[in-house]
Amino acid sequence: MNGESPRIVGGGAYAPRNRLSSEAVAEAWGRSQARGVERVAVPDADEDSLTMAAAAARRALAAADRDAGSVELLVFATTTPPVEEPELTPRLGEFLGVPETAARRTHAGGTRAGTAALADALAALGGEVETTGVGARAATDGSAPAGVDGPALVVAADAPLGEPNDETGHAAGAAAGALVLDTGRPEGDDASAASGARVLARGEYATDYAGTRGRERGAVETGGLDVTTYDRAAFREPATGAVDALVAGAPQTAPDPSEVDALAITAPDGDRPARVAGALDCSPDRITTPVRRLGDTGAAGPLVGLVRSFADGPNPTGDADDTHAATGAAEHHTLCVGVGSGGAADAALIAGTAPVSTRLDGTRTVSYTDALRLRDRITGDAPAGGGAAVSVPTWRRSRAARYRLVAGACPNCGALSFPAEGACGDCHDLVSYDRVRLPRTGELVTVTGIAPGGAPPEFVPQAERGGDFPVGIVRFERDGETVDVPMQVCDADAVGRAGDASGERESDVGDTAPESSRVTAGDTVGHVVRRVYEQEGVVRYGAKARPVDD
Amino acid sequence: MTDAYIVGAGQSAFGSYPEETYRSLFRTAYERAVPDDVDGDRVNEAYVGTLGVGGRQIGLSGPAVTEHLGLHGTPCTRVENACAASGYALRQAVLAVEAGVADLVLAGGVEVMTDTSAEATKYWLGVSGETEWERMAGTTFTGVYAQMADAYLREHDADRRALSAVAAKNHANGARNPKAHLRFECSVADAEAAGVVADPLTLYHCCPTSDGAAALLVASEEVAASFDDRVRVAGFGASSDHVGLYDRETYTAIPASERAAATAYGRAGVDEPRADLDFAEVHDCFAVAELLAYEDIGLAAPGEGARLVTEGVTAADGAFPVNTSGGLKSKGHPIGATGAGQAVEAFEQLTGGAGDRQLDDPERGLTHNVGGSGGAAVVHVLERAGVTGA
């Protein structure tokens, strides 16, 4: 370790584009039980917590100006993993290009997982953060890997699911937040030495509140006792307890919780964070977790709220989706509180801001039925008849190409080949390629739409959930050479629509217009990691094209 | 080296035949191709094209067919090049004859596609495309050709109605073919109004999946002399290419077709296809494929293919008829049988046996058969015996 205190040097946040309004829920069930929620984010048919994590992480790394290849610690938090087992950080790391030697940790088991992941990274990076309170020792007694200089990447992604007609189900949203922590600065970048946000103090508190929120063994939906007073106490007591513990150990110069600029807190609905704010004598207006327009984002909520706090900073821009420059303003203070079901909470007081990059806008309004389909509540399995069998070993062998678009440059003629195997497409020599990453953006050169009735068998579940989807060929250019890649296009309506000050955007295309009609050859697209299909019980992930503005 | 002649050609009707098997369908084609007085014992070699739709007999599917015909002991090879399987089977037969290793060879193909579920059929069609990358992007076979159509229409500023004109022309021809699967006419407006399968392709821009078989008897010059009907294989050519569209140098042509045609023309002495040939049977699995074929085999300059069909040049009564059989679009596309079926139509035209579709005394014709979206192609120039004194 180099002895410098760990700093948060960048943040990213991501939410799916689909929005389900509380009015639509009320139309279906008579009322919406999600207090303080106007709309919720609904994952697309090819999204899950792992793809959202990748999207947020990539933004955080870009904002922090850190390369994934330099990451020494990857910590991932979710209560809704796409599979129960195995460990997900190897795949998430592969999506991003995190070295195989980086340390990895996963946090789950409750909605405190996101802030626990942050605590884990802070502990691993050392520094002089004061942590006090009940449970503090348990969190830092060696679970974090030691000897990490950084950067550390902390990612929390969640997409909770409740019963269709209860308060958890009505509030269920989806999002991911990511932070990059470091003890130093990028090589050759003196200017950023002082940038970033510093954790001034931490506190923890835990007490046994059984049954307030959780999933029974084998269940998909999160539920609870629905005992109002008990539930509120089970949320408020650990939250305020952790903050009290934090205050006890905070520097004398630290502001009182009632004076912080932002409160980033777990938000199962819009009511409970406000009650905690009230108990802390802090204005509810300072809550930055976007529960009103994203819904319950579970373990991701506090990190998304923290990133939002950085985005607003001392000089709020009002733009929800953009890259925000670092201010490093020490006078901006955020209280980040993670509250987990079962009565555990931790709190961190963070001074300053960091550059962030977010995509939290909604570009498509979906009906209640659409939401049920997208969330796989009323759709079926892949049909009989089989699909093209690309074996898991074969898939693994090509993962760099599938996740990160690693292509081959011919050492003889310089031509690019994708994937990097077989004879060079240009000089036809059987060569050993130099591995190169294709640029972030390319041009769509052909496109068509695949209707649900015409989808290949392995894509039928996706088509049933998300409807028709565009496919095309994307041309990437690198050092004067071009190479074409067949790609599915996701989020086809993602481009070219201005948002309002709240960051909300609505599609200007009728809801029934096919996705494929929204993209055309000539469009500029980037690439993101999404679910491709599931076979043999293994989710296959891969790069898909996504429209970009430039 | 001897020239190779087609001395017999026949096919089953193409369509949906739940009472037939792949063996019984091929038997029908065989009995129509082989004159009654030719004993099966005379067949020295056999090549059978099939993809194996439904996976019912992938291994040894060639011998599974020939044993049914009583060709006991005849060397038999299954040829699989997706939709060009039996076009390549014909080429193998010609090579065997020209090499002097056989005097009488059976070439043909068969497929049964309508007795599997829609999903299973999609699986079997899909595996003829590039599976690991193209299909894993979610692309169907229709989707690949739709991308070619998208590129073609944009690059050449063409109207989608040219695609519909292909459909209307081929349905008009197929309506007069008793062996055709879809024996009804459709208008350009019908094709335009049909539901979109993969933009810009509508349902009428896509061929049906069919059951069917086709068979050809190929003979050396010496053996052919004893047959009444003889069509000389004046030239043949074949080529392969990247299986995936995305890997190719162009999306508005099928380079394998260009190379196959060039080779065939070189052997046959064809300098000006429009002048030196009288008709063609081309691979029109999707309407855009016929436009590409016009250009790939030299009937039209790049970008001019659409004009050929909209101006009626390729109509049955036009200056250069294309797909008098109805093509894959109307006649049908039982994958393994398609290439041989094209040669059956050419044989019938050149020997005056095409019935209501008969052209006015054609001397030379061409068959053009594409595998997948262009990963393989094979072209034959067929000539009425005696035209060039051969």
Side-chain angles (χ1 to χ4, degrees):
Chain A
M1 285 191 237
N2 61 19
E4 291 190 43
S5 297
R7 288 175 179 269
I8 300 171
V9 295
Y14 172 84
R17 61 176 172 153
N18 306 302
R19 293 293 180 276
L20 172 68
S21 71
S22 57
E23 288 84 0
V25 174
E27 192 175 328
W29 291 105
R31 67 185 177 116
S32 169
Q33 298 182 50
R35 287 182 293 274
V37 175
E38 293 177 4
R39 61 197 64 192
V40 298
V42 180
D44 237 319
D46 58 357
E47 290 190 291
D48 61 26
S49 51
L50 207 54
T51 67
M52 292 192 299
R58 207 141 74 170
R59 287 179 168 274
L61 288 165
D65 194 25
R66 299 305 199 271
D67 187 89
S70 68
V71 169
E72 294 188 17
L73 171 64
L74 172 62
V75 193
F76 178 51
T78 185
T79 67
T80 53
V83 292
E84 302 285 349
E85 197 177 330
E87 168 85 52
L88 295 170
T89 54
R91 186 152 298 157
L92 177 58
E94 189 70 46
F95 289 171
L96 302 167
V98 171
E100 285 151 343
T101 52
R104 292 152 204 268
R105 293 293 183 272
T106 301
H107 287 261
T111 51
R112 192 175 65 122
T115 48
L118 172 60
D120 205 5
L122 285 166
L125 290 169
E128 298 164 359
V129 179
E130 293 291 341
T131 302
T132 56
V134 177
R137 182 177 300 278
T140 57
D141 64 356
S143 66
V148 175
D149 282 336
L153 178 59
V154 177
V155 196
D158 234 346
L161 201 61
E163 292 288 350
N165 188 25
D166 70 10
E167 58 185 359
T168 308
H170 290 181
L179 301 170
V180 177
L181 284 71
D182 208 348
T183 54
R185 52 188 175 274
E187 198 170 330
D189 186 1
D190 294 335
S192 66
S195 69
R198 183 160 178 254
V199 179
L200 296 180
R202 290 190 62 257
E204 298 198 12
Y205 185 96
T207 185
D208 179 18
Y209 272 106
T212 54
R213 173 189 172 107
R215 288 210 307 269
E216 295 178 25
R217 189 166 60 189
V220 174
E221 295 93 359
T222 295
L225 294 176
D226 196 22
V227 181
T228 307
T229 308
Y230 174 85
D231 285 350
R232 286 175 180 166
F235 191 87
R236 187 180 62 248
E237 183 188 335
T240 55
V243 174
D244 289 345
L246 174 154
V247 170
Q252 285 191 340
T253 54
D256 185 82
S258 64
E259 296 169 348
V260 295
D261 300 287
L263 176 60
I265 184 170
T266 307
D269 58 33
D271 177 56
R272 273 178 257 191
R275 290 179 179 275
V276 172
L280 297 176
D281 206 18
C282 173
S283 169
D285 293 343
R286 295 178 191 172
I287 296 169
T288 53
T289 305
V291 61
R292 180 181 62 80
R293 60 193 182 90
L294 295 183
D296 175 8
T297 54
L303 298 198
V304 174
L306 181 57
V307 171
R308 286 286 305 153
S309 169
F310 288 173
D312 292 345
N315 301 301
T317 64
D319 289 333
D321 297 286
D322 206 345
T323 299
H324 302 264
T327 64
E331 67 272 20
H332 183 80
H333 290 90
T334 307
L335 187 56
C336 183
V337 182
V339 187
S341 44
D346 53 36
L349 180 62
I350 297 155
T353 62
V356 298
S357 173
T358 65
R359 175 171 287 145
L360 296 170
D361 58 330
T363 59
R364 189 168 74 159
T365 301
V366 297
S367 68
Y368 186 73
T369 309
D370 288 341
L372 290 179
R373 284 170 46 211
L374 286 167
R375 303 213 66 167
D376 202 15
R377 305 311 299 262
I378 54 175
T379 50
D381 297 327
V390 179
S391 70
V392 171
T394 295
W395 195 275
R396 181 181 188 276
R397 186 170 163 267
S398 60
R399 65 196 188 284
R402 294 194 185 278
Y403 299 158
R404 305 192 302 278
L405 295 189
V406 172
C410 177
N412 288 355
C413 70
L416 295 173
S417 284
F418 185 91
E421 59 187 32
C424 170
D426 207 48
C427 70
H428 306 297
D429 276 355
L430 266 173
V431 296
S432 295
Y433 291 102
D434 299 326
R435 259 53 178 183
V436 297
R437 280 180 81 160
L438 296 179
R440 292 290 310 153
T441 60
E443 180 192 351
L444 197 58
V445 293
T446 70
V447 67
T448 187
I450 303 298
E458 57 273 30
F459 289 88
V460 166
Q462 178 194 333
E464 280 190 352
R465 290 169 63 182
D468 76 294
F469 54 84
V471 295
I473 294 174
V474 181
R475 182 161 297 161
F476 294 94
E477 183 175 349
R478 184 183 183 279
D479 295 338
E481 298 285 342
T482 62
V483 68
D484 291 358
V485 180
M487 300 183 83
Q488 190 178 125
V489 183
C490 61
D491 297 2
D493 63 348
V495 70
R497 295 173 184 88
D500 62 24
S502 71
E504 290 296 339
R505 301 195 298 185
E506 300 294 340
S507 169
D508 62 4
V509 180
D511 287 340
T512 56
E515 288 280 289
S516 53
S517 69
R518 306 177 190 213
V519 286
T520 58
D523 285 355
T524 301
V525 293
H527 53 95
V528 295
V529 175
R530 292 288 178 93
R531 293 170 71 101
V532 178
Y533 71 105
E534 189 170 340
Q535 197 172 57
E536 302 167 88
V538 177
V539 180
R540 314 294 173 87
Y541 295 89
K544 294 185 181 180
R546 186 184 194 280
V548 296
D549 289 311
D550 52 8
Chain B
M1 185 180 76
T2 176
D3 276 349
Y5 287 77
I6 299 175
V7 295
Q11 66 167 87
S12 70
F14 287 0
S16 177
Y17 299 103
E19 301 303 318
E20 300 276 2
T21 69
Y22 68 101
R23 286 169 161 143
S24 67
L25 283 168
F26 195 83
R27 175 178 176 168
T28 299
Y30 175 80
E31 289 177 342
R32 290 174 180 169
V34 180
D36 290 341
D37 58 352
V38 177
D39 192 281
D41 289 347
R42 292 180 59 192
V43 176
N44 309 126
E45 193 81 38
Y47 297 97
V48 177
T50 183
L51 176 66
V53 167
R56 57 177 62 77
Q57 182 73 54
I58 298 175
L60 293 179
S61 49
V65 167
T66 50
E67 68 148 357
H68 187 71
L69 305 175
L71 301 184
H72 189 70
T74 304
C76 181
T77 305
R78 172 197 178 204
V79 179
E80 192 285 295
N81 256 353
C83 318
S86 59
Y88 269 80
L90 172 58
R91 178 174 178 270
Q92 288 303 119
V94 172
L95 287 170
V97 167
E98 290 195 351
V101 299
D103 283 321
L104 199 58
V105 183
L106 175 66
V110 62
E111 216 75 71
V112 174
M113 304 172 71
T114 69
D115 67 349
T116 49
S117 71
E119 298 302 334
T121 303
K122 272 191 288 188
Y123 165 63
W124 280 99
L125 290 173
V127 295
S128 296
E130 201 285 328
T131 54
E132 287 192 36
W133 296 94
E134 215 160 58
R135 176 156 170 165
M136 289 306 103
T139 318
T140 59
F141 219 51
T142 311
V144 173
Y145 273 96
Q147 291 178 63
M148 289 194 238
D150 174 63
Y152 183 91
L153 297 182
R154 274 186 301 101
E155 188 169 310
H156 300 307
D157 197 24
D159 193 311
R160 192 178 74 164
R161 279 180 297 184
L163 303 175
S164 300
V166 170
K169 171 183 73 72
N170 289 349
H171 270 281
N173 292 345
R176 292 186 289 161
N177 184 351
K179 302 290 198 305
H181 187 169
L182 305 177
R183 296 192 63 200
F184 58 85
E185 298 201 20
C186 88
S187 66
V188 170
D190 291 336
E192 286 293 278
V196 172
V197 178
D199 188 51
L201 301 180
T202 71
L203 183 64
Y204 276 28
H205 298 148
C206 309
C207 71
T209 52
S210 313
D211 306 333
L216 306 159
L217 200 57
V218 181
S220 63
E221 187 169 5
E222 184 180 350
V223 170
S226 64
F227 286 80
D228 295 333
D229 291 326
R230 287 172 289 132
V231 167
R232 189 171 78 96
V233 181
F236 60 95
S239 183
S240 62
D241 205 335
H242 297 287
V243 177
L245 174 68
Y246 74 97
D247 255 343
R248 294 191 209 133
E249 61 200 48
T250 174
Y251 303 146
T252 55
I254 293 181
S257 293
E258 294 175 336
R259 292 190 289 267
T263 304
Y265 292 160
R267 289 176 192 266
V270 171
D271 298 319
E272 275 291 331
R274 284 274 294 273
D276 296 346
L277 301 170
D278 298 313
F279 69 93
E281 284 287 307
V282 305
H283 201 89
D284 63 321
C285 50
F286 299 93
V288 66
E290 181 160 326
L291 301 184
L292 300 181
Y294 293 163
E295 299 171 17
D296 294 336
I297 66 175
L299 301 180
E304 296 297 317
R307 198 168 53 78
L308 232 53
V309 67
T310 54
E311 293 181 356
V313 174
T314 53
D317 58 355
F320 193 94
V322 173
N323 286 340
T324 53
S325 69
L328 284 59
K329 175 68 199 79
S330 172
K331 183 185 176 187
H333 183 29
I335 291 175
T338 292
Q342 292 175 321
V344 170
E345 175 71 10
F347 181 88
E348 291 181 349
Q349 289 289 356
L350 293 169
T351 56
D356 291 346
R357 310 181 314 285
Q358 183 61 51
L359 299 172
D360 184 19
D361 199 27
E363 295 184 343
R364 278 184 155 192
L366 171 144
T367 62
H368 159 258
N369 189 199
V370 175
S373 62
V378 57
V379 169
H380 288 89
V381 175
L382 304 177
E383 177 183 280
R384 196 169 71 200
V387 166
T388 58

